[in-house]
Amino acid sequence: MTGILLLGVILPFAIPILIYLPLRHKTPLLAKRWLPSFVAGLSLAFSIALAIDVTHNATNNEPEFSKTVLFFVDIHVDALSAYFLLLVNTVAFFAALHIPSFLEADSERPSTRVSEPTQNWFHQIVRWLNQKLSTEPAFLLLFSSFHVSMLLVPLMDNLALLWLFIEITTIVSAPLVGYRQDVKAEEAAFKYIILSSTGILFAFLATIFLIGNVPPELAGLEGLNWSTLRDNLPPKSNIPFVEFIFLLALLGYGTKAGFFLLHTWLPDAHGQAPSPVSALLSGVLLKSALYAILRFYVITNLALGDQGAFTSSILLAVGLVSLVAAALFILKENRFKRVMAYHSLEYIGIITFAIGLGTSLSIYSALFLMLAHALIKALMFLGYGLVKRAYAQNGIHEAADITGVFQQMPAASLVLSLGGLALVGVPPFGVFLSKFMILWTAIHIAQAKPLYSVAIGLFLLSIALIFAGLVNHLGKLLLGKSPVVIQADKQRRLLFVTLFILLAIIFGLGFSTWPITPLLTNSVEILCRGACS
Amino acid sequence: MSVLFRGALILVIGTAVYAAITNKLNNKLTSYLWQSSLLVAISFMGIFLFEKLNWILALGIMVAPLTRAFAVRPFMALTTVEPPPTKRAARSRLRRLWREFIDTSWAEPYWREYGTSRLGQISTIVAIALLTSLAYGTAFSLIPLASDTSDIKKIISHGLAASLSLLLIGFFSMLNEEDTSSHIMGLLVMENGMFLAAIVFLADTDFLFSFFIGLFMYVALTLFILSIFAPRLHRASKSAFIGDQTELREYK
């Protein structure tokens, strides 16, 4: 059963085949543009079924995870991976719905410069690829590959493959960041690929060291599996080495997750990528890297046998520094999409801080925040993308010139302002309750450890500053006088309906998390092994 | 063999140090070629040191540094500058394909201009000495050496030190270099550090080959993508220097 559901989940694999095989010339353009959303929708349905299946197995006291071999690869499905699959697919589905509109607007962009002819076969290949990368089929292909690679990350039991798929996310998303091929997009793409590839090498080193420490009795490829390592690494042996491995993994995957000082690619890539891609980058990619860190977190806690003391102290510090830095960046004058990117830094900070607190409640809140952040950021990026395209159609191309959205596009301003309120954690949105629970846990711990009071103070101050910063940026965008008159558009109206559905989901999660509660509680159990007070 | 192996490790660090110090991209490429050749030699020596590393496996993993040694100049030429229009030379087919692949004459004049560092040579040497000491200090504290330590453990300890040195020197080079091509060279040196770590840590496990396939794929794809993106960036910004890429900089 799980195998069939899994095949359904990784359906987006089919898109490259559909786009590039015989259908390529016969399929109407519009059908091709809608293909990713159709397949993402199907994949989402299968991931919901998989989540129900996993939850059902867990409640019947069966093993907490099931292992399946698919295409010769060990697939690991537990509540945590099912939760991440749900997160990836929900954002990918809504982002894919906005692809046709983006591609239609983008089709008016002048084609890229054709280089002078060459007869050198090697240069011909590179040039051919260079030109193909900025075409519409390439966009659809890369978007789907990006989606698939992020779906495969939570399914991998093998830690080397987990690393490989996280790296593949960089390789397939870099051309999407540089899709527009102007100087800003090229700079962002180059920076993104160089920084991510450099950072991820440290994660590779961590994996090598971890595998090098595997006891000899675990010979065979099974020894590379997270589930095997979790159950078989001898506790309290080679402590400095295990700590070193965790630090390397944190540094490596932290570059992709966008921790402070490793985050420099984040505002550039999020700011320059097309909006559906920004939604995936911000909503999902960062979480995929966090997922890898969480897997290392469990192994490290079990191997150290210190009830999570080492990992907690590191994560608390990293999270708090990222949060404080995000507050300073958000207060600064900046373009809207870059401000949104800094909100990712904020959330990564809060989530890491919450995991660092190391209680069931704080980890539950962190996991919920991952989903909430993914949905809200998808809403904000997609909503802003619609606004930007509407203004661009009327000759306003510079982000700084977009003002008076409230006057011209009331639906957009409603989406952006409610999304903004959800982002900063205003009640009744679910983010408020999560932040409150994290704070409550921190206050509880501070009674025994007074040093936590400083962290609580910084946490509260940062959140207040971020609130003020976002209100300021949203005010500039929504209020004031618009330089152009925006005409109503039927297709745009339909896309706003999708955003209102997304908004309704975000709003609903603020009142009840019942559809995902079993997944969350089981995920907390998985993460709390060897930690949690 | 153990002494020879450790000697080769020191030479590998030497090539990385030279690549970081020299101010000519051409010299960096030559030292990278030597570094990759040394890694081939290290893989070969591994056959005599590690039980599970047999001839077939060693030949398989040698493919990675060998390919990089041959491919680094053509790829780096592409990342340096866009190739000019060329006409096909009338030669035998295989020879022509090979010639066209290794022909980097159009990029070499640029290599003389590229490769300068932000810091002066003395400061660079001091920084590298500190980083190498840090790498050795970390490695020897993680795997302590004593008089009764086995040969294989000594190799692993030294191998870890060399691999961390390459990683830190490569990373430092990326921060220190002024142009994008030299930046990429830093990344390649770091990647050689990974290769070394994989040999010393995984040679006696069953995972070595699968790791090398992953690493090889990663390097090939990253280089390929970079060979597309770097010239596009140069064309768009009209410069190959990091300092000139200021479009997205918030603090100019």
Side-chain angles (χ1 to χ4, degrees):
Chain A
M1 180 66 176
T2 310
I4 297 165
L5 293 175
L6 278 171
L7 277 175
V9 169
I10 55 170
L11 258 181
F13 244 134
I15 293 182
I17 302 163
L18 289 173
I19 291 173
Y20 274 94
L21 281 184
L23 279 173
R24 187 186 172 192
H25 299 293
K26 292 174 190 166
T27 321
L29 187 67
L30 203 63
K32 276 197 279 185
R33 285 177 178 173
W34 282 103
L35 198 60
S37 48
F38 175 69
V39 178
L42 276 178
S43 178
L44 175 61
F46 276 106
S47 54
I48 292 170
L50 187 70
I52 294 168
D53 186 50
V54 169
T55 312
H56 177 73
N57 283 345
T59 49
N60 282 348
N61 291 326
E62 283 176 21
E64 64 165 7
F65 68 89
S66 61
K67 269 170 87 168
T68 313
V69 178
L70 212 64
F71 305 120
F72 311 108
V73 174
D74 282 342
I75 302 286
H76 173 102
V77 188
D78 58 11
L80 189 65
S81 40
Y83 182 65
F84 271 83
L85 287 176
L86 209 58
L87 187 151
V88 173
N89 270 331
T90 313
V91 175
F93 173 62
F94 281 100
L97 284 174
H98 287 244
I99 288 179
S101 152
F102 162 72
L103 288 176
E104 199 182 319
D106 189 66
S107 60
E108 289 156 23
R109 176 171 57 96
S111 62
T112 47
R113 194 183 73 117
V114 179
S115 308
E116 292 169 87
T118 178
Q119 286 185 323
N120 182 316
W121 66 272
F122 183 51
H123 301 167
Q124 272 176 358
I125 292 175
V126 175
R127 261 180 208 180
W128 177 81
L129 257 173
N130 198 350
Q131 280 162 10
K132 285 285 168 192
L133 278 178
S134 60
T135 59
E136 202 175 303
F139 181 90
L140 296 169
L141 180 78
L142 289 166
F143 186 90
S144 304
S145 310
F146 188 29
H147 180 193
V148 170
S149 56
M150 286 188 296
L151 282 175
L152 289 172
V153 167
L155 289 175
M156 288 302 121
D157 198 12
N158 185 313
L159 287 174
L161 287 177
L162 174 77
W163 174 85
L164 191 66
F165 281 113
I166 289 202
E167 177 52 23
I168 288 175
T169 59
T170 310
I171 290 167
V172 293
S173 58
L176 288 171
V177 172
Y179 184 71
R180 284 200 332 270
Q181 295 209 0
D182 60 23
V183 63
K184 286 180 183 169
E186 299 291 14
E187 193 179 324
F190 186 80
K191 208 170 171 181
Y192 170 50
I193 193 164
I194 276 278
L195 286 172
S196 298
S197 303
T198 308
I200 209 78
L201 279 178
F202 289 96
F204 187 74
L205 197 62
T207 313
I208 290 175
F209 290 162
L210 186 67
I211 306 304
N213 254 7
V214 167
E217 61 270 20
L218 293 177
L221 284 173
E222 282 258 312
L224 284 167
N225 289 350
W226 176 82
S227 51
T228 314
L229 288 168
R230 183 195 59 179
D231 298 332
N232 293 290
L233 271 185
K236 295 190 177 180
S237 69
N238 216 349
I239 288 175
F241 211 74
V242 175
E243 289 176 348
F244 185 60
I245 289 169
F246 181 72
L247 290 177
L248 283 175
L250 194 69
L251 183 63
Y253 291 122
T255 313
K256 285 286 272 191
F259 291 140
F260 177 60
L261 289 183
L262 308 170
H263 75 283
T264 47
W265 64 270
L266 206 124
D268 296 346
H270 289 197
Q272 293 307 313
S275 292
V277 179
S278 299
L280 274 190
L281 282 173
S282 175
V284 188
L285 181 69
L286 309 185
K287 315 299 183 303
S288 297
L290 267 183
Y291 173 86
I293 292 173
L294 288 178
R295 292 293 183 192
F296 270 88
Y297 169 79
V298 176
I299 293 177
T300 310
N301 286 339
L302 287 167
L304 291 178
D306 63 351
Q307 285 297 303
F310 172 75
T311 51
S312 283
S313 55
I314 301 286
L315 292 176
L316 269 175
V318 170
L320 196 63
V321 170
S322 298
L323 174 63
V324 173
L328 299 175
F329 286 125
I330 288 169
L331 279 176
K332 210 176 145 275
E333 192 77 16
N334 221 327
R335 288 187 286 273
F336 190 72
K337 275 177 98 176
R338 289 180 78 88
V339 175
M340 286 296 109
Y342 286 126
H343 273 283
S344 298
L345 181 63
E346 174 211 351
Y347 269 78
I348 289 296
I350 297 175
I351 291 164
T352 313
F353 180 81
I355 295 165
L357 288 174
T359 67
S360 311
L361 187 65
S362 65
I363 292 177
Y364 185 98
S365 307
L367 288 172
F368 177 75
L369 272 185
M370 285 187 198
L371 179 68
H373 174 245
L375 298 180
I376 298 168
K377 289 308 275 296
L379 179 84
M380 296 300 275
F381 276 119
L382 296 174
Y384 182 70
L386 284 178
V387 170
K388 211 176 164 200
R389 284 200 287 282
Y391 274 73
Q393 280 165 1
N394 289 281
I396 304 291
H397 295 281
E398 278 301 312
D401 298 334
I402 301 176
T403 53
V405 176
F406 181 71
Q407 196 184 33
Q408 297 298 323
M409 301 172 76
S413 90
L414 191 65
V415 164
L416 290 175
S417 46
L418 285 177
L421 290 177
L423 196 61
V424 289
V426 169
F429 292 104
V431 172
F432 168 77
L433 198 61
S434 298
K435 284 183 180 173
F436 182 78
M437 286 197 288
I438 293 166
L439 203 59
W440 188 82
T441 311
I443 291 168
H444 188 69
I445 296 173
Q447 288 169 352
K449 298 174 183 171
L451 202 64
Y452 274 64
S453 312
V454 181
I456 294 167
L458 285 171
F459 185 93
L460 280 172
L461 182 69
S462 305
I463 297 234
L465 290 175
I466 286 166
F467 181 82
L470 188 72
V471 168
N472 177 35
H473 290 293
L474 269 176
K476 280 182 190 155
L477 180 75
L478 302 178
L479 304 176
K481 195 174 182 307
S482 170
V484 284
V485 177
I486 309 285
Q487 300 297 326
D489 180 274
K490 196 181 167 189
Q491 194 197 9
R492 202 186 304 140
R493 211 175 295 154
L494 280 173
L495 288 173
F496 273 117
V497 172
T498 65
L499 293 184
F500 278 112
I501 293 170
L502 193 52
L503 194 60
I505 297 172
I506 296 165
F507 196 70
L509 283 174
F511 289 98
S512 171
T513 57
W514 70 262
I516 53 167
T517 304
L519 274 185
L520 283 173
T521 42
N522 290 335
S523 301
V524 170
E525 249 179 71
I526 292 165
L527 294 176
C528 272
R529 276 202 171 188
C532 290
S533 41
Chain B
M1 188 55 78
S2 164
V3 177
L4 212 61
F5 191 91
R6 279 184 270 163
L9 291 177
I10 291 169
L11 285 177
V12 166
I13 297 175
T15 55
V17 172
Y18 178 67
I21 293 170
T22 181
N23 275 333
K24 295 272 183 290
L25 184 57
N26 205 11
N27 295 346
K28 287 182 200 292
L29 284 165
T30 309
S31 76
Y32 183 76
L33 199 78
W34 279 105
Q35 197 177 84
S36 300
S37 310
L38 280 165
L39 289 178
V40 172
I42 284 172
S43 317
F44 177 75
M45 284 185 250
I47 299 169
F48 305 101
L49 293 168
F50 300 104
E51 269 177 41
K52 288 192 176 177
L53 188 61
N54 55 36
W55 279 92
I56 299 166
L57 195 58
L59 283 173
I61 60 170
M62 275 176 203
V63 171
L66 264 177
T67 317
R68 285 199 301 270
F70 281 118
V72 71
R73 289 179 86 89
F75 271 108
M76 200 48 73
L78 280 175
T79 66
T80 312
V81 63
E82 255 193 298
T86 51
K87 283 189 179 164
R88 184 160 288 174
R91 287 197 190 94
S92 71
R93 177 171 284 188
L94 265 178
R95 202 172 156 201
R96 176 172 60 75
L97 290 177
W98 176 244
R99 281 285 169 101
E100 284 181 4
F101 178 67
I102 60 157
D103 175 29
T104 55
S105 53
W106 43 278
E108 279 161 21
Y110 292 89
W111 289 349
R112 282 182 219 119
E113 293 167 32
Y114 295 168
T116 46
S117 313
R118 290 171 212 262
L119 294 177
Q121 277 188 326
I122 302 291
S123 316
T124 306
I125 291 169
V126 171
I128 287 172
L130 285 173
L131 291 174
T132 312
S133 316
L134 178 70
Y136 269 85
T138 311
F140 291 154
S141 66
L142 291 171
I143 306 172
L145 292 180
S147 52
D148 58 341
T149 310
S150 66
D151 253 10
I152 204 77
K153 205 158 186 187
K154 276 182 192 161
I155 285 172
I156 292 176
S157 187
H158 280 97
L160 172 63
S163 126
L164 288 178
S165 300
L166 289 197
L167 201 73
L168 292 176
I169 294 170
F171 190 60
F172 171 75
S173 298
M174 289 183 77
L175 298 174
N176 194 28
E177 301 296 345
E178 286 189 333
D179 61 281
T180 48
S181 300
S182 306
H183 227 60
I184 296 168
M185 284 305 300
L187 182 63
L188 288 173
V189 170
M190 285 178 79
E191 185 278 324
N192 272 350
M194 295 297 112
F195 183 88
L196 203 52
I199 288 183
V200 292
F201 270 86
L202 304 180
D204 266 342
T205 67
D206 294 328
F207 319 123
L208 185 65
F209 199 65
S210 46
F211 261 82
F212 277 110
I213 290 175
L215 192 59
F216 184 65
M217 291 281 289
Y218 154 73
V219 176
L221 279 170
T222 309
L223 258 185
F224 210 74
I225 293 281
L226 283 171
S227 66
I228 290 170
F229 275 94
R232 264 169 44 172
L233 176 66
H234 302 167
R235 192 175 69 212
S237 67
K238 298 183 177 62
S239 170
F241 289 93
I242 305 286
D244 295 333
Q245 314 301 329
T246 54
E247 279 293 324
L248 297 171
R249 211 170 278 178
E250 287 180 22
Y251 303 95
K252 292 187 186 179

